[in-house]
Amino acid sequence: MVEKVKLDKVDRQLLTMLQHDVTLSLNELAKAVNLTTTPCWKRLKRLEEEGVINKRVALLDPSKIGVDFTAFVQVKTCDHSHAWYEKFIEAVYAMPEVMEFYRMAGEYDYMMRVQVEDMAAFDHFYKRLVNQVAGLTNVTSTFAMESLKFSTVLPLKPS
């Protein structure tokens, strides 16, 4: 089990600000939380070392770059061995179209969110998936007609 990191009010403020705009300068962050730059930098460094901040990225608009066809793929398998699991994960990790990938409880064993250009590109992805991994008993796909909410901002509630 992963141990929770203790966050105080200032940590939460900094994390919320960074989730909204990671390009904020150290001076802007420090001023917003009433710290000088050195203690603010030390907090950010600690949060990175503890794994709370694990990456800083640019979020792209899928429609602007032509990959706004979203598919949700649910997978059932008849093979639950560790060897199969590792092979399946390796295959999926090698597919850049897979944006999210989960092992599930319930009717399906795995679920992924796939971003591609169009239905033809999805068909190509689907064929690669089902031909690359043996043991898939059911692969069901649904397609998003419209994105109504998308966020990468995690809710930070007071402790």
Side-chain angles (χ1 to χ4, degrees), residues 1-102:
M1 176 168 243
V2 176
E3 187 177 322
K4 278 187 176 179
V5 174
K6 184 122 172 103
L7 302 174
D8 65 16
K9 182 180 177 184
V10 173
D11 292 336
R12 291 174 191 282
Q13 286 176 303
L14 288 169
L15 291 169
T16 297
M17 291 170 62
L18 288 173
Q19 285 189 95
H20 286 282
D21 185 359
V22 77
T23 66
L24 291 169
S25 71
L26 182 58
N27 285 335
E28 292 171 303
L29 292 167
K31 185 177 178 182
V33 295
N34 295 319
L35 292 175
T36 60
T37 55
T38 301
C40 185
W41 178 83
K42 285 181 179 179
R43 280 177 178 268
L44 294 173
K45 187 77 172 150
R46 176 182 53 80
L47 291 167
E48 286 177 342
E49 289 169 355
E50 292 176 340
V52 175
I53 299 172
N54 62 26
K55 196 180 288 190
R56 297 178 191 204
V57 299
L59 299 176
L60 307 181
D61 182 334
S63 64
K64 301 279 185 183
I65 59 172
V67 290
D68 55 341
F69 188 90
T70 305
F72 296 93
V73 180
Q74 296 175 302
V75 175
K76 287 183 183 180
T77 181
C78 60
D79 189 343
H80 295 278
S81 69
H82 186 70
W84 182 91
Y85 170 81
E86 287 193 346
K87 182 179 178 185
F88 183 50
I89 288 175
E90 184 179 327
V92 172
Y93 267 68
M95 297 176 172
E97 305 91 339
V98 178
M99 306 308 299
E100 296 179 77
F101 180 40
Y102 302 95

